[in-house]
Amino acid sequence: MSVLIHPTYFPNLAHCIAAVQTKDVVFETDDNFLKQTYRNRTYVYGANGKLALNIPVIHSQKNRQKYRDVKIFNEQNWQSLHWKSLLSAYRTSPFFEYYEDDLLPLFTDKVNFILDFNLKCFEVICECLQLNLSISQTKTYQKTVDYKTDYRFLVNAKKTMHDDFDSYTQVFNAKHGFISNLSILDLLFNEGPNSVNYLESQTIVRL
């Protein structure tokens, strides 16, 4: 059965677990953009603990705005700032240098729309993980869906699931302990080619 998820900024482990274990991914692309979600936010593990990286977006004056129509506010130098944060957090991790060249263009090339950028991030992650997934997009928004496992709730940055996934070695484990369900980048930089095996072994439990 397919899974229905939102394209997010370097998706967290829960999103990737859902995608990897099904391999048939349908992206929700016809919903309204909501603030305080993973659509334009991801969390990584910095020297001081959990660190949020937010992409600035241009909000419409209208009450509702389609996700696909939301533009990135590229007047802010957010790409450079995010890359510097990743360098600071992961430059000493086992696999950062291995994936650095694949990821760097995402922090140098400008993209106008947040949805397009998130889809590109997912594409690059699939290449890094050597994942061959079947990917499609919704054409219309449906509140309830048939023949798909609906994981759209995962886009909510507030806790809506048990996220006590198995631990793995993180750069700052000794300082702050294990932090679960961070961006896929955290797993990728620390576990490298073993990331897929890890994702296949975990379970998503909704609260």
Side-chain angles (χ1 to χ4, degrees):
M1 182 177 284
S2 304
V3 293
L4 180 63
I5 57 176
H6 288 91
T8 59
Y9 179 35
F10 285 116
N12 59 24
L13 295 192
H15 281 93
C16 293
I17 290 165
V20 166
Q21 293 186 4
T22 306
K23 295 186 169 57
D24 188 358
V25 177
V26 181
F27 280 128
E28 176 61 79
T29 59
D30 200 56
D31 61 326
N32 291 324
F33 185 86
L34 298 176
K35 300 178 183 179
Q36 307 298 317
T37 70
Y38 290 113
R39 290 174 179 85
N40 64 320
R41 176 191 304 179
T42 197
Y43 287 97
V44 297
Y45 199 153
N48 296 317
K50 193 173 182 179
L51 174 66
L53 301 179
N54 291 286
I55 300 176
V57 297
I58 301 172
H59 292 290
S60 169
Q61 297 302 315
K62 302 176 183 177
N63 291 330
R64 294 181 181 179
Q65 189 177 17
K66 288 288 189 181
Y67 183 7
R68 61 170 176 263
D69 295 331
V70 175
K71 290 186 175 182
I72 297 173
F73 185 58
N74 282 316
E75 298 304 311
Q76 289 187 15
N77 196 21
W78 66 272
Q79 286 171 294
S80 176
L81 293 174
H82 285 199
W83 184 247
K84 288 177 181 177
S85 295
L86 292 178
L87 283 173
S88 176
Y90 296 111
R91 136 178 7 184
T92 62
S93 64
F95 295 98
F96 181 83
E97 291 185 355
Y98 187 79
Y99 300 110
E100 181 178 5
D101 291 342
D102 295 318
L103 294 165
L104 183 57
L106 294 168
F107 298 92
T108 55
D109 301 342
K110 300 296 182 186
V111 178
N112 289 325
F113 292 92
I114 183 67
L115 176 58
D116 294 338
F117 182 73
N118 288 346
L119 291 170
K120 182 63 179 175
C121 288
F122 192 83
E123 177 185 331
V124 172
I125 287 298
C126 285
E127 292 172 358
C128 290
L129 295 174
Q130 297 183 1
L131 282 175
N132 184 20
L133 304 180
S134 172
I135 299 174
S136 58
Q137 300 178 18
T138 59
K139 298 291 191 276
T140 59
Y141 178 78
Q142 294 178 304
K143 188 173 182 179
T144 58
V145 295
D146 297 320
Y147 309 111
K148 299 180 189 70
T149 303
D150 191 349
Y151 280 123
R152 289 177 295 183
F153 68 91
L154 293 175
V155 77
N156 191 334
K158 296 178 181 178
K159 187 172 181 179
T160 56
M161 50 164 283
H162 292 288
D163 59 1
D164 51 346
F165 300 130
D166 292 345
S167 64
Y168 54 89
T169 301
Q170 296 170 313
V171 176
F172 299 107
N173 264 134
K175 292 182 66 176
H176 306 289
F178 178 70
I179 301 179
S180 184
N181 201 30
L182 296 175
S183 166
I184 184 61
L185 293 176
D186 185 79
L187 181 68
L188 187 70
F189 294 147
N190 287 302
E191 290 291 316
N194 189 51
S195 296
V196 175
N197 290 333
Y198 175 90
L199 295 171
E200 290 177 338
S201 70
Q202 304 304 302
T203 302
I204 298 173
V205 180
R206 185 169 184 173
L207 291 175

